[in-house]
Amino acid sequence: MTRDRISHVRLSSVTLPLATPISDAKVFTGRQKPMTEVALLFAEIRTESGHEGLGFGYSKRAGGPGQYAHAREVAPDLLGEDPSDIGRLWTKLVWAGASVGRSGLATQAVAALDIALWDLKAKRAGLPLAKLIGAHRDSVRCYDTSGGFLHVPVEQVIDNAAASLGSGIGGIKIKVGHPDRRVDLARVTAVREHLGEDVPLMVDANQQWDRPSAQRMCRELERFGLVWIEEPLDAYDAAGHAALASAFDTPIATGEMLTSVAEHAELVRAGAADILQPDAPRIGGITQFLRLSTLADLHHLQLAPHYAMEIHLHLAATYPAEPWVEHFDWLEPLFNERMEIADGRMLVPDRPGLGLTLSDKARAWTVETCEVSGG
């Protein structure tokens, strides 16, 4: 039997500038500086038969050059391999760099390659990625985050929310976690009063409350009928999140900052999340996301993947229970295609694979490339 083989890998380090510096609670508490750019790692894989796959990962603030450097070291291990054997190749790439761990930056570098392999496999089959995996739906509920950051005046947050809903987006998430709890409550009150009770509304504290503050704020926020309260505590405080999840009616959502399936499994074991928020580029790619998705389903958890809607739309569509996908417009300039939205839902594209091609801007913002070829 003749099998296709991987013959070429192209890696690109891309710096995406943001139009406005972005601040969430981590900036207001002094832990981070405003974000001005996003670093992306793109992987383009080609086979001897001419099939191609595109994948990407990202880093907000530090880490982008490290992801690129690690991917450049392990990518040669793909040459000559059958691209269909994605699980085996994920393991091979992870063990190639096992001395720096099987989570964090190392597996984030592997994620871009893993996603490219899944994109390639779906394209070879002539199917959208969601259909290759096995979709439960052709569209997913979506909510907007990019208009609700803490540096944005509440009047503008309300205008942004109205524009998002007018474009067909189904829900709105705003940031909280301001050092002055009265500011948070005033902003949530204003947004809820403007939107009315029927519009799905979420809040995100970005890990900036301690346990007493989180207890107090979750109690105060109960009256707003929120879809969830996100990251009220440090991402690794499974016991603290579990206490909140058991004490309040409003669901607790967390998981986006974790960088492996094993870390998420700790949340699941502790009962720390009503809604799990994995990020495929952060946990090692689609191969790992599917493992985690199965675990979440077995424990009857809701799913709302973090960021990277271009990838997560397909993955959310394969989850048995009705999920959410996060609409973020930041990455749109990198691609020639746009996600279609209607009636509060994001539609799975009918294009093969992820259905993405890199734009001229993505090429222009490329700061470094590496070509890996066999022979």
Side-chain angles (χ1 to χ4, degrees):
M1 180 179 178
T2 302
R3 295 185 178 90
D4 203 0
R5 302 290 177 182
I6 296 171
S7 60
H8 186 86
V9 180
R10 176 188 175 96
L11 301 172
S12 303
S13 176
V14 175
T15 301
L16 168 68
L18 298 177
T20 304
I22 302 298
S23 296
D24 58 22
K26 297 186 293 295
V27 174
F28 281 79
T29 57
R31 289 180 169 174
Q32 291 183 339
K33 296 179 180 179
M35 180 166 40
T36 59
E37 60 189 30
V38 178
L40 292 111
L41 167 64
F42 283 98
E44 298 168 86
I45 296 176
R46 189 169 68 243
T47 71
E48 293 172 348
S49 298
H51 297 288
E52 296 184 349
L54 171 67
F56 69 91
Y58 71 93
S59 177
K60 299 175 181 177
R61 300 179 175 88
Q67 291 178 3
Y68 174 77
H70 189 78
R72 186 174 56 193
E73 283 193 281
V74 301
D77 282 12
L78 289 175
L79 297 178
E81 290 282 9
D82 186 333
S84 294
D85 298 338
I86 302 177
R88 181 178 63 80
L89 295 179
W90 189 90
T91 301
K92 181 180 183 181
L93 292 173
V94 168
W95 279 100
S99 66
V100 291
R102 285 182 281 170
S103 64
L105 184 148
T107 45
Q108 289 169 13
V110 170
L113 296 162
D114 178 84
I115 293 166
L117 288 171
W118 278 99
D119 181 56
L120 189 156
K121 191 169 191 174
K123 286 176 178 174
R124 288 177 68 182
L127 294 171
L129 177 62
K131 293 295 185 182
L132 178 77
I133 297 169
H136 284 265
R137 59 195 62 81
D138 294 325
S139 66
V140 180
R141 294 180 298 181
C142 64
Y143 68 95
D144 184 73
T145 293
S146 47
F149 278 82
L150 275 177
H151 70 276
V152 180
V154 68
E155 297 80 10
Q156 185 62 52
V157 171
I158 289 171
D159 289 345
N160 293 344
S164 294
L165 296 172
S167 72
I169 292 172
I172 300 296
K173 187 171 80 178
I174 68 170
K175 299 291 186 173
V176 293
H178 193 282
D180 185 344
R181 57 188 281 272
R182 294 169 297 183
V183 172
D184 281 340
L185 293 173
R187 288 168 69 89
V188 177
T189 298
V191 173
R192 173 51 90 198
E193 288 180 350
H194 180 81
L195 297 180
E197 295 182 0
D198 294 334
V199 173
L201 178 63
M202 306 83 161
V203 300
D204 181 1
N206 288 111
Q207 308 177 77
Q208 295 310 291
W209 293 327
D210 57 24
R211 288 187 178 185
S213 298
Q215 287 277 349
R216 188 175 298 114
M217 288 300 295
C218 285
R219 188 174 299 111
E220 295 262 25
L221 292 167
E222 286 271 71
R223 68 180 187 267
F224 295 104
L226 302 174
V227 179
W228 69 66
I229 298 170
E230 184 171 332
E231 287 195 321
L233 297 168
D234 184 274
Y236 292 93
D237 186 0
H241 279 101
L244 296 176
S246 64
F248 297 104
D249 292 338
T250 305
I252 299 299
T254 190
E256 70 176 64
M257 296 303 298
L258 303 185
T259 61
S260 68
V261 173
E263 292 168 358
H264 279 273
E266 286 297 314
L267 290 183
V268 175
R269 274 193 288 269
D274 301 296
I275 300 167
L276 210 59
Q277 297 183 300
D279 184 316
R282 281 184 175 161
I283 65 171
I286 292 170
T287 298
Q288 296 302 97
F289 188 100
L290 295 177
R291 291 182 63 202
L292 181 55
S293 177
T294 299
L295 179 65
D297 180 45
L298 286 171
H299 287 82
H300 311 289
L301 298 177
Q302 297 182 58
L303 190 75
H306 167 254
Y307 200 59
M309 62 185 180
E310 295 83 0
I311 297 168
H312 290 133
L313 170 58
H314 288 271
L315 302 181
T318 71
Y319 195 64
E322 182 72 46
W324 285 91
V325 69
E326 184 172 26
H327 181 272
F328 246 108
D329 58 13
W330 293 2
L331 303 185
E332 286 185 343
L334 298 167
F335 305 106
N336 294 312
E337 299 77 16
R338 295 291 177 269
M339 302 295 104
E340 187 177 350
I341 297 169
D343 300 323
R345 304 179 71 86
M346 192 176 296
L347 281 58
V348 177
D350 56 9
R351 301 180 296 272
L354 292 172
L356 300 173
T357 55
L358 291 178
S359 68
D360 291 340
K361 282 189 175 181
R363 302 298 186 188
W365 287 329
T366 299
V367 295
E368 189 172 356
T369 60
C370 172
E371 308 277 349
V372 181
S373 299

